[in-house]
Amino acid sequence: MGSEFVVCEPVSLERAETATFRTHQKIPVILRPCNREQVARAMSIACRNGVPVYPVSSGKNWGYGSRVPVVTGCALMDLSGMKRIVDFNERLGYVTVEPGVTQQDLYDELRARNSKFWMDASGSSPRCSLIGNAMERGFGHTPYGDHFAQACALEVVLPNGETVRTGFAGLPSARAGQVYRWGAGPSIDGLFSQSNLGIVTGMTIWLMPAPEYFQAFFFQSDREDGIAAIVDALRPLRMDGTLRSAVHIANDYKVLAGIQQFPQGENAPLVPERMKVLRERLKFTRWSGSGALYGTRAQVAEARRLLRQALKGATSKLQFLDDRTLRVAAKFTGLYRMVTGLDLTRTLELVKPVYGLLRGIPTQQPLGSAYWRKAMPVPADPDPDRDGCGLIWTAPVAPMEGEEAARLCGMIERRLLAGGFEPMISITLLTERAIACVVSLTYDRDQPGEDEKAMECYLALRTELEREGYYSYRLATPALPAPAADSAYERLLRSIRVALDPGDILAPGRYVPRV
Amino acid sequence: MGSEFVVCEPVSLERAETATFRTHQKIPVILRPCNREQVARAMSIACRNGVPVYPVSSGKNWGYGSRVPVVTGCALMDLSGMKRIVDFNERLGYVTVEPGVTQQDLYDELRARNSKFWMDASGSSPRCSLIGNAMERGFGHTPYGDHFAQACALEVVLPNGETVRTGFAGLPSARAGQVYRWGAGPSIDGLFSQSNLGIVTGMTIWLMPAPEYFQAFFFQSDREDGIAAIVDALRPLRMDGTLRSAVHIANDYKVLAGIQQFPQGENAPLVPERMKVLRERLKFTRWSGSGALYGTRAQVAEARRLLRQALKGATSKLQFLDDRTLRVAAKFTGLYRMVTGLDLTRTLELVKPVYGLLRGIPTQQPLGSAYWRKAMPVPADPDPDRDGCGLIWTAPVAPMEGEEAARLCGMIERRLLAGGFEPMISITLLTERAIACVVSLTYDRDQPGEDEKAMECYLALRTELEREGYYSYRLATPALPAPAADSAYERLLRSIRVALDPGDILAPGRYVPRV
């Protein structure tokens, strides 16, 4: 590949071996291919020589393992240098990108082109790879929030170094490759998500037409078990398409970690009784939700009416926010403070990133909560790996029923508090019928013993959740490979693995059980 | 399996060897398992003895090959006896079915339960299997029209006789198996659609909540190239979610075949000049479209406003129809005839099945057009295989652009007319960005030489379409396996095939190239 693409210096290797929780895997070398041909060549060489390779896009899989391979001794293939936007279609609303293209890159591209389309952004970091997130089946906040469901035409380098394109995209002069997912014959896109069966070096992402009108909404409930009523109230609207995007509901711990770091003078973990005091002092509630309405003014007005009707009784407060309200609010913060004594500036600072996410604008603000237990303040350029932030994510999925949501939250809160950690939870109305419950176990890796304590708590939580039938949509490396289905399923995955990668070269142990 | 599940009598075998076009493949035996265990047992026996098996659900894959295996000598596995509705959830809106459950079966179930949910139906026949259609990636008319996209939790018997369940559904006591598609790890559902890698013996289908209000719409254009303007006018509404379901647009030939059989006294093929005369006489237009709006009254009203605005200039007529209008019309047909001299009854008869499909009510009415060139009238119980109806379908996909639609239709109309057949075309706005163009090549198999002439025309059409980059979303057996992608893709499919079915036992040649 040429030595300029190969990194061996110890500092870089050690950095790459660092995640947001304790890992022991060693990385002997980092490869930085800058195009598909180099990826393919590297894979055929690796295959011939039996060298395991672990590919990452931007490598910002924080909370799930960052860049660290599942097993020790893998060459790390860093694809962040592949930054081409290969295709852009303003008429049909799609873009084709390489793995190094980040959320911010696409956002900048849309702005530079003065595009009539919006992207969807995850709440992670503007520097996250679009392909990386879609392949891990991450999600965002707009109607295009299910990233894998809005992607097609994958370009994949197989473990043997060959390249395939999925759907119609691989057929000669195909006209519908970028607009139709399935192609003809078996649809194999899914094989390359949450997997180690190929390296995705290209992907088409569908973009959302900017609506005529956009309105965000925020709601609150201070009832202890408010989550149940909220989920049940919103389900019909999510199912009938009135709510076209995911609604996110955070518990009080999650909100507090979004506002500030661990409050000085309090004992860890913050117990519910203390949270109650803090909630009153800082004026937030047990549950807070956000979402948005997209459409013409009349479509949004009708959705607003239905939302008001649905949430009546389930929430104590429901507020709507659009560009105009936001501008007016920004203008009158001074006056507002004079009259009420309250500082609206801070509120606006907190609201703006969420408001932006709801319209697909990437932000690094939520990443700040990874510094919750840190002694240092959140730096301007946050990097949880570098800064010793402890973070382990679990994300169990459940049917969209209030009872299920309440039960899940109860289990998680009890388990994390018992383990000594604040249970930060968000419940996302992910699809028409399913909720995902994202739990962040956040701690300070620089505190001796915390790594072990956190991992123990994480494993206990996972065991309990899986025993109750709540499986995570996405797994952190300590949970890999995926939980054992019946053995026939495992045998099936393994036989596909053997067919594609007999030498167990590509990201061994990642999701698919080892050969 | 017991002899009661095995059919060898010549009449049944010959019937099963008959499609809607010429085939030569022989079927030595028909197996009729009535549960998954029998399917699994049959497969392990077949595997051990090297007997190829060709599974069909209801076997009504008319126009694409009916029940006839791709290669000769396969035991036909007829799953139509597996008719259990295994699960039904009225809260979350889903149903789990076996392959023998038909559209009519599910419709009856919904009615019997007085369910608040609607199903989606394809325009084929009430007796078509839900699993069969979803696995072939068929589509219908409501917001849940992309059948494969609304299915999850597949239960699959592998070629070796083992059973797997996909997504979370295969994990112990999983709670979200029926509501969340992906599960954790690679998503393998796609592998079993348009494929021969497994036999789908169970599937969960999501159901659509019945809207508060429903309104169908119908539009017409008598401009020769009207299709281009219509597609361009509707694209923004399909992309922004105002139109939540597929819109279907038929050319004049398709409409005529829906109204009546080949007109007596005309020469075949009916040339465009004659069509013009018939259009004037029978009062229909060059292009006719239908679709529907779903939601609250206000949501539908706003969608109606936007649709009117969009179609102004692109169509000559746009009409809306709801339950009330339909009831009133039915009441006043007599009066209407007295005043205008026109018989509305016939129009209502034609409109009602389409109106029903738009609300997910199965109908056999469109199947009548398979008898277009037949001397016999459409029987009460149509069966194109039995009645010697000639029917070959091609369904190229294109980007949702007017120019593409017009170009495609032009190519198809020229090619079919040159081959001596009436070009019946419908253009479906299938997804937010793609159109599918369903072409039915319809003839009378009892006319000597027609089988050959039709197949020749079909092959020429396919060659021309593929040369121009228009590939079909679904393939008739003479087109199988799927068109050659680059050889790496073919090698990949073949290696998966070898891993799952080394003996090439399950439906050899179906979509995946032979080992």
Side-chain angles (χ1 to χ4, degrees):
Chain A
M1 291 177 65
S3 58
E4 67 270 38
F5 305 114
V6 179
V7 181
C8 294
E9 29 131 12
V11 179
S12 300
L13 296 179
E14 205 177 302
R15 247 187 240 143
E17 287 161 358
T18 308
T20 58
F21 46 79
R22 170 77 59 84
T23 57
H24 300 282
Q25 300 90 299
K26 288 291 176 192
I27 297 172
V29 62
I30 303 176
L31 311 174
R32 294 192 192 278
C34 55
N35 56 47
R36 180 178 59 80
E37 290 72 25
Q38 288 190 341
V39 173
R41 214 169 327 130
M43 283 316 296
S44 26
I45 296 170
C47 247
R48 273 206 305 280
N49 296 281
V51 181
V53 173
Y54 191 83
V56 295
S57 297
S58 65
K60 304 202 180 335
N61 200 17
W62 297 311
Y64 293 108
S66 306
R67 284 175 291 180
V68 183
V70 180
V71 303
T72 201
C74 294
L76 184 71
M77 183 183 275
D78 174 356
L79 303 170
S80 61
M82 291 177 63
K83 289 189 81 69
R84 282 193 314 146
I85 293 180
V86 179
D87 193 5
F88 190 99
N89 189 314
E90 175 73 20
R91 213 165 135 97
L92 292 161
Y94 64 79
V95 59
T96 304
V97 298
E98 290 187 336
V101 177
T102 64
Q103 304 201 99
Q104 189 66 43
D105 292 335
L106 178 54
Y107 184 68
D108 292 344
E109 179 79 13
L110 291 167
R111 299 248 299 209
R113 287 176 178 269
N114 204 9
S115 173
K116 296 216 154 45
F117 288 89
W118 287 1
M119 62 181 282
D120 187 273
S122 84
S124 180
S125 155
R127 292 177 298 123
C128 285
S129 159
L130 296 161
I131 287 185
N133 189 268
M135 286 307 119
E136 285 303 295
R137 302 202 288 256
F139 48 84
H141 300 244
T142 74
Y144 280 49
D146 183 346
H147 293 164
F148 183 66
Q150 300 296 334
C152 77
L154 307 183
E155 177 188 77
V156 185
V157 174
L158 299 175
N160 64 7
E162 293 193 332
T163 302
V164 296
R165 282 165 197 85
T166 67
F168 288 135
L171 298 173
S173 53
R175 302 188 71 83
Q178 274 63 47
V179 293
Y180 184 72
R181 168 192 309 286
W182 311 121
S187 169
I188 62 170
D189 288 11
L191 276 189
F192 302 108
S193 68
Q194 295 195 357
S195 120
N196 52 6
L197 299 171
I199 304 173
V200 178
T201 53
M203 179 179 87
T204 293
I205 303 168
W206 295 326
L207 301 168
M208 174 190 167
E212 175 192 305
Y213 182 55
F214 162 84
Q215 197 168 42
F217 60 84
F218 300 87
F219 56 81
Q220 301 187 326
S221 161
D222 213 19
R223 276 164 48 192
E224 180 52 31
D225 60 348
I227 186 68
I230 294 171
V231 168
D232 282 334
L234 293 177
R235 185 180 57 246
L237 299 190
R238 189 75 177 96
M239 282 187 77
D240 74 14
T242 297
L243 289 174
R244 293 169 53 211
S245 60
V247 174
H248 294 253
I249 308 149
N251 73 351
D252 45 3
Y253 287 98
K254 179 92 180 174
V255 170
L256 186 62
I259 300 175
Q260 60 167 67
Q261 290 176 274
F262 190 89
Q264 284 189 317
E266 297 283 348
N267 292 323
L270 269 177
V271 291
E273 295 68 44
R274 290 303 304 158
M275 274 305 286
K276 215 174 256 177
V277 176
L278 288 167
R279 290 201 313 252
E280 270 159 33
R281 189 187 305 156
L282 295 166
K283 309 220 176 305
F284 66 100
T285 51
R286 174 79 173 108
W287 304 98
S288 310
S290 63
L293 307 172
Y294 307 80
T296 61
R297 287 204 165 256
Q299 283 170 338
V300 170
E302 173 65 356
R304 196 166 55 227
R305 181 184 75 84
L306 295 167
L307 187 65
R308 275 216 178 94
Q309 201 176 67
L311 285 180
K312 195 185 293 174
T315 55
S316 56
K317 209 171 170 183
L318 171 63
Q319 283 176 307
F320 294 89
L321 195 61
D322 64 9
D323 289 350
R324 208 182 127 267
T325 333
L326 208 58
R327 269 198 310 275
V328 171
K331 223 165 169 177
F332 290 102
T333 45
L335 184 67
Y336 193 81
R337 187 168 44 218
M338 280 201 299
V339 177
T340 64
L342 294 171
D343 186 2
L344 211 57
T345 323
R346 178 89 183 107
T347 309
L348 281 178
E349 258 169 48
L350 291 167
V351 161
K352 263 188 178 168
V354 181
Y355 184 83
L357 273 178
L358 291 165
R359 11 184 338 156
I361 303 172
T363 170
Q364 67 175 24
Q365 195 264 355
L367 193 54
S369 66
Y371 291 77
W372 165 250
R373 286 268 194 113
K374 297 296 292 182
M376 70 189 284
V378 180
D381 175 32
D383 180 339
D385 291 336
R386 177 196 65 204
D387 296 332
C389 301
L391 178 63
I392 316 179
W393 268 332
T394 317
V397 179
M400 194 179 288
E401 299 200 71
E403 209 180 310
E404 299 267 351
R407 187 156 169 258
L408 248 180
C409 291
M411 282 170 58
I412 295 163
E413 292 188 338
R414 276 191 302 277
R415 178 60 68 177
L416 262 70
L417 285 167
F421 301 97
E422 291 75 28
M424 299 159 193
I425 299 178
S426 75
I427 295 270
T428 301
L429 274 57
L430 189 53
T431 70
E432 284 85 351
R433 292 167 178 74
I435 51 175
C437 178
V438 178
V439 186
S440 41
L441 204 164
T442 309
Y443 62 102
D444 182 1
R445 295 199 62 204
D446 295 332
Q447 295 292 322
E450 287 285 285
D451 261 340
E452 293 72 15
K453 215 175 88 183
M455 192 51 68
E456 195 181 319
C457 180
Y458 163 74
L459 293 174
L461 175 65
R462 255 195 64 220
T463 306
E464 184 177 351
L465 289 173
E466 293 188 357
R467 196 181 54 224
E468 298 297 318
Y470 299 109
Y471 295 90
S472 282
Y473 91 92
R474 178 176 178 180
L475 300 171
T477 37
L480 292 173
D486 54 279
S487 52
Y489 192 88
E490 215 172 288
R491 275 195 296 278
L492 168 63
L493 282 191
R494 213 173 251 138
S495 69
I496 296 176
R497 171 74 174 172
V498 172
L500 270 65
D501 187 2
D504 212 19
I505 289 302
L506 187 59
R510 185 156 185 82
Y511 285 106
V512 175
R514 297 201 65 175
V515 173
Chain B
M1 290 177 66
S3 58
E4 66 271 37
F5 304 114
V6 179
V7 182
C8 295
E9 30 130 11
V11 179
S12 299
L13 296 179
E14 205 177 302
R15 246 187 241 144
E17 288 161 358
T18 307
T20 58
F21 46 79
R22 170 77 59 82
T23 56
H24 300 282
Q25 300 89 301
K26 287 292 176 192
I27 298 172
V29 62
I30 303 175
L31 311 174
R32 296 192 190 276
C34 56
N35 57 46
R36 180 179 58 81
E37 291 70 26
Q38 289 190 340
V39 173
R41 212 168 330 130
M43 283 316 296
S44 26
I45 296 170
C47 248
R48 271 206 306 280
N49 297 279
V51 180
V53 173
Y54 192 84
V56 296
S57 297
S58 64
K60 305 205 180 335
N61 199 17
W62 297 311
Y64 293 108
S66 307
R67 283 174 291 179
V68 183
V70 181
V71 301
T72 200
C74 294
L76 185 72
M77 183 184 273
D78 174 354
L79 304 169
S80 61
M82 291 177 64
K83 289 189 81 68
R84 281 193 315 145
I85 293 181
V86 179
D87 193 5
F88 190 99
N89 188 313
E90 176 73 20
R91 213 166 135 97
L92 293 161
Y94 64 79
V95 58
T96 304
V97 298
E98 290 187 336
V101 177
T102 64
Q103 304 201 101
Q104 188 66 43
D105 292 336
L106 177 53
Y107 184 69
D108 291 345
E109 179 79 13
L110 290 168
R111 299 246 299 208
R113 287 175 179 269
N114 204 8
S115 173
K116 295 216 154 45
F117 288 88
W118 287 2
M119 61 180 283
D120 186 274
S122 84
S124 180
S125 155
R127 291 176 298 124
C128 284
S129 159
L130 296 161
I131 287 186
N133 189 267
M135 286 306 119
E136 285 301 297
R137 301 202 290 257
F139 48 85
H141 299 246
T142 74
Y144 280 49
D146 184 346
H147 294 163
F148 182 65
Q150 301 296 335
C152 76
L154 308 183
E155 177 188 77
V156 184
V157 175
L158 299 175
N160 64 8
E162 293 193 333
T163 302
V164 297
R165 280 165 197 85
T166 67
F168 288 135
L171 298 172
S173 54
R175 303 187 72 82
Q178 274 64 47
V179 292
Y180 184 72
R181 168 192 307 287
W182 313 122
S187 168
I188 63 169
D189 288 11
L191 275 189
F192 302 108
S193 68
Q194 295 195 357
S195 121
N196 51 7
L197 298 170
I199 303 173
V200 179
T201 53
M203 180 179 87
T204 292
I205 302 168
W206 296 325
L207 301 168
M208 174 191 169
E212 175 192 305
Y213 182 55
F214 162 84
Q215 197 168 40
F217 60 86
F218 300 89
F219 56 82
Q220 300 187 325
S221 161
D222 213 18
R223 276 164 47 192
E224 180 53 31
D225 60 348
I227 187 69
I230 294 171
V231 168
D232 282 333
L234 293 177
R235 185 180 57 245
L237 300 189
R238 190 76 177 94
M239 282 186 77
D240 74 13
T242 297
L243 289 174
R244 292 169 54 210
S245 60
V247 174
H248 295 254
I249 307 149
N251 72 350
D252 43 4
Y253 287 98
K254 180 90 179 176
V255 170
L256 185 63
I259 300 176
Q260 59 166 66
Q261 289 176 272
F262 189 89
Q264 283 187 317
E266 297 284 346
N267 293 323
L270 268 178
V271 291
E273 295 68 45
R274 289 304 304 160
M275 275 305 285
K276 215 174 258 177
V277 176
L278 288 168
R279 290 202 312 252
E280 271 159 34
R281 188 188 304 156
L282 295 166
K283 308 219 176 308
F284 66 100
T285 51
R286 174 78 172 109
W287 304 97
S288 311
S290 63
L293 307 173
Y294 307 80
T296 62
R297 288 204 163 253
Q299 284 170 337
V300 170
E302 174 64 357
R304 197 167 53 227
R305 181 184 73 84
L306 295 167
L307 186 66
R308 277 217 178 92
Q309 201 176 67
L311 284 180
K312 196 185 292 174
T315 55
S316 56
K317 209 169 170 184
L318 171 63
Q319 284 176 306
F320 294 89
L321 195 62
D322 64 8
D323 289 352
R324 209 183 127 267
T325 334
L326 208 58
R327 267 198 311 275
V328 172
K331 223 166 170 176
F332 289 102
T333 46
L335 184 65
Y336 192 81
R337 187 169 44 217
M338 279 201 296
V339 177
T340 65
L342 294 171
D343 186 1
L344 211 58
T345 322
R346 178 89 182 107
T347 310
L348 281 178
E349 258 170 46
L350 291 167
V351 161
K352 263 187 177 167
V354 180
Y355 183 83
L357 274 178
L358 291 165
R359 13 186 335 159
I361 303 172
T363 170
Q364 68 175 25
Q365 194 265 355
L367 192 54
S369 66
Y371 292 76
W372 165 249
R373 286 265 195 117
K374 296 297 291 182
M376 68 190 284
V378 181
D381 175 30
D383 181 338
D385 291 336
R386 178 196 63 202
D387 295 332
C389 301
L391 178 63
I392 316 178
W393 268 332
T394 318
V397 180
M400 194 179 288
E401 301 200 70
E403 210 180 310
E404 299 267 354
R407 188 157 168 257
L408 248 181
C409 291
M411 281 169 59
I412 295 163
E413 292 189 338
R414 275 191 304 277
R415 177 61 68 179
L416 261 70
L417 285 168
F421 301 97
E422 290 74 29
M424 299 159 192
I425 300 179
S426 75
I427 294 271
T428 301
L429 274 59
L430 189 53
T431 70
E432 284 85 352
R433 291 166 178 75
I435 51 175
C437 177
V438 179
V439 186
S440 42
L441 204 164
T442 308
Y443 63 101
D444 181 0
R445 294 199 63 204
D446 295 332
Q447 295 291 322
E450 287 286 285
D451 262 340
E452 293 73 15
K453 214 175 89 183
M455 192 51 68
E456 194 182 319
C457 179
Y458 163 74
L459 293 173
L461 175 66
R462 256 195 64 221
T463 306
E464 183 178 351
L465 289 172
E466 294 189 357
R467 196 181 54 224
E468 297 298 319
Y470 298 109
Y471 295 90
S472 281
Y473 92 91
R474 178 176 178 181
L475 300 170
T477 37
L480 291 173
D486 54 278
S487 53
Y489 192 88
E490 214 172 288
R491 276 196 294 277
L492 169 63
L493 282 191
R494 213 173 251 136
S495 70
I496 296 176
R497 171 74 174 173
V498 172
L500 270 66
D501 187 1
D504 212 19
I505 288 302
L506 186 59
R510 186 158 184 81
Y511 284 105
V512 175
R514 297 201 64 177
V515 172

